[in-house]
Coordinates of all heavy atoms in Angstrom, one line a residue:
L24 N 82.0 119.3 94.3 CA 82.8 118.5 95.3 C 84.1 118.1 94.5 O 84.0 117.5 93.4 CB 82.1 117.3 95.8 CG 82.8 116.4 96.7 CD1 83.1 117.1 98.0 CD2 82.0 115.2 97.0
S299 N 76.4 110.5 93.9 CA 76.4 110.4 92.4 C 77.9 110.3 91.9 O 78.0 109.9 90.7 CB 75.8 111.6 91.9 OG 76.5 112.9 92.2
S300 N 78.8 110.6 92.8 CA 80.2 110.6 92.3 C 81.0 109.4 92.6 O 82.1 109.1 91.9 CB 80.9 111.8 92.9 OG 80.4 113.1 92.5
V305 N 79.9 106.4 86.8 CA 79.8 107.8 87.1 C 79.3 108.6 85.9 O 79.8 108.5 84.8 CB 81.2 108.4 87.5 CG1 81.0 109.9 87.7 CG2 81.8 107.7 88.7
N306 N 78.0 109.1 86.0 CA 77.5 109.9 84.9 C 78.1 111.2 84.9 O 78.2 111.8 85.9 CB 76.0 109.9 84.9 CG 75.3 108.5 84.8 OD1 75.4 107.8 83.8 ND2 74.6 108.2 85.9
Y307 N 78.4 111.8 83.7 CA 78.9 113.1 83.7 C 78.3 114.1 82.7 O 78.3 115.4 83.0 CB 80.5 113.2 83.6 CG 81.0 112.7 82.3 CD1 81.2 113.5 81.2 CD2 81.2 111.3 82.1 CE1 81.8 113.0 80.0 CE2 81.7 110.7 80.8 CZ 82.0 111.6 79.8 OH 82.5 111.1 78.6
K308 N 77.8 113.8 81.6 CA 77.4 114.8 80.7 C 76.6 114.2 79.6 O 77.0 113.4 78.7 CB 78.6 115.4 80.0 CG 78.4 116.7 79.2 CD 79.7 117.3 78.7 CE 79.4 118.7 78.0 NZ 80.7 119.2 77.4
L313 N 81.4 107.2 82.9 CA 82.7 106.6 83.1 C 82.4 105.3 83.9 O 81.6 105.3 84.8 CB 83.7 107.4 83.9 CG 84.0 108.7 83.4 CD1 85.0 109.5 84.4 CD2 84.6 108.6 82.0
I315 N 84.6 103.0 86.4 CA 85.9 103.0 87.1 C 85.9 101.7 87.9 O 85.2 101.3 88.8 CB 86.0 104.2 88.1 CG1 85.8 105.5 87.2 CG2 87.3 104.2 88.8 CD1 85.8 106.8 88.1
N346 N 85.0 112.7 75.0 CA 86.3 112.5 75.5 C 86.7 113.7 76.3 O 87.4 113.6 77.4 CB 87.3 112.3 74.5 CG 87.2 110.8 73.9 OD1 86.7 109.9 74.6 ND2 87.8 110.5 72.8
L347 N 86.4 114.9 75.8 CA 86.9 116.2 76.6 C 86.1 116.2 77.9 O 86.7 116.6 78.9 CB 86.6 117.4 75.7 CG 87.6 117.6 74.5 CD1 87.1 118.7 73.7 CD2 89.1 117.7 74.9
G348 N 84.8 115.9 77.8 CA 84.0 115.9 79.1 C 84.5 114.8 80.0 O 84.6 115.0 81.3
A349 N 84.9 113.6 79.4 CA 85.5 112.6 80.2 C 86.8 113.1 80.9 O 87.1 112.8 82.2 CB 85.8 111.3 79.5
A350 N 87.7 113.8 80.3 CA 89.0 114.3 80.8 C 88.6 115.3 81.9 O 89.3 115.2 83.0 CB 89.7 115.1 79.8
D351 N 87.5 116.1 81.8 CA 87.1 117.0 82.9 C 86.8 116.3 84.2 O 87.2 116.5 85.3 CB 86.1 118.0 82.5 CG 86.5 118.8 81.3 OD1 87.7 119.1 81.2 OD2 85.6 119.4 80.7
E352 N 85.9 115.3 84.0 CA 85.3 114.4 85.1 C 86.4 113.6 85.7 O 86.5 113.3 86.9 CB 84.2 113.7 84.6 CG 83.5 112.8 85.7 CD 83.0 113.6 86.9 OE1 82.6 114.8 86.6 OE2 82.9 113.0 88.0
L353 N 87.3 113.0 84.8 CA 88.3 112.1 85.5 C 89.4 112.8 86.3 O 89.7 112.4 87.3 CB 89.0 111.4 84.2 CG 90.2 110.5 84.7 CD1 89.6 109.3 85.5 CD2 90.8 109.9 83.5
A354 N 89.7 114.1 85.9 CA 90.6 114.9 86.7 C 90.0 115.1 88.1 O 90.7 115.1 89.1 CB 91.0 116.3 86.0
R355 N 88.7 115.3 88.1 CA 88.0 115.6 89.4 C 88.0 114.2 90.2 O 88.2 114.3 91.4 CB 86.5 116.1 89.1 CG 85.5 116.1 90.3 CD 84.3 116.8 89.9 NE 83.3 116.5 91.0 CZ 82.3 115.6 91.0 NH1 82.3 114.8 90.0 NH2 81.6 115.5 92.0
Q356 N 87.6 113.1 89.5 CA 87.6 111.9 90.2 C 88.9 111.4 90.7 O 88.9 110.9 91.8 CB 87.0 110.8 89.1 CG 85.6 110.9 88.8 CD 84.8 110.5 89.9 OE1 85.0 109.6 90.7 NE2 83.5 111.0 89.9
L357 N 90.0 111.8 90.2 CA 91.3 111.4 90.7 C 91.6 112.1 92.0 O 92.0 111.5 92.9 CB 92.5 111.8 89.8 CG 92.4 111.0 88.5 CD1 93.6 111.4 87.5 CD2 92.6 109.5 88.6
R358 N 91.2 113.4 92.1 CA 91.3 114.1 93.3 C 90.3 113.7 94.4 O 90.7 113.5 95.6 CB 91.2 115.6 93.1 CG 92.3 116.4 92.3 CD 92.0 117.7 92.1 NE 91.9 118.6 93.2 CZ 91.5 119.8 93.3 NH1 91.0 120.4 92.2 NH2 91.5 120.4 94.4
L359 N 89.1 113.5 93.9 CA 88.0 113.2 94.8 C 88.3 111.8 95.5 O 88.1 111.6 96.7 CB 86.7 113.1 94.1 CG 85.4 112.9 94.8 CD1 85.3 113.9 95.9 CD2 84.2 112.8 93.9
R360 N 88.7 110.8 94.7 CA 88.8 109.5 95.3 C 90.3 109.1 95.8 O 90.5 108.2 96.3 CB 88.5 108.4 94.2 CG 87.1 108.5 93.7 CD 86.9 107.3 92.7 NE 85.6 107.4 92.1 CZ 84.8 106.5 91.8 NH1 85.0 105.2 92.0 NH2 83.6 106.6 91.2
M386 N 93.7 117.2 79.3 CA 93.9 116.4 80.6 C 95.0 117.1 81.5 O 95.0 117.1 82.7 CB 94.3 115.0 80.2 CG 94.2 114.0 81.3 SD 92.6 113.6 81.9 CE 92.8 113.5 83.6
N389 N 93.7 120.2 83.2 CA 92.8 119.8 84.3 C 93.6 119.4 85.5 O 93.2 119.6 86.7 CB 91.9 118.8 83.9 CG 90.7 119.3 83.0 OD1 90.6 120.4 82.8 ND2 90.2 118.3 82.1

Side-chain angles (χ1 to χ4, degrees):
L24 181 65
S299 62
S300 299
V305 179
N306 297 301
Y307 65 91
K308 193 176 183 181
L313 305 177
I315 302 174
N346 284 341
L347 291 176
D351 296 341
E352 180 61 26
L353 180 60
R355 171 175 169 263
Q356 286 289 331
L357 293 180
R358 290 176 67 190
L359 184 59
R360 301 185 187 218
M386 195 71 214
N389 290 339

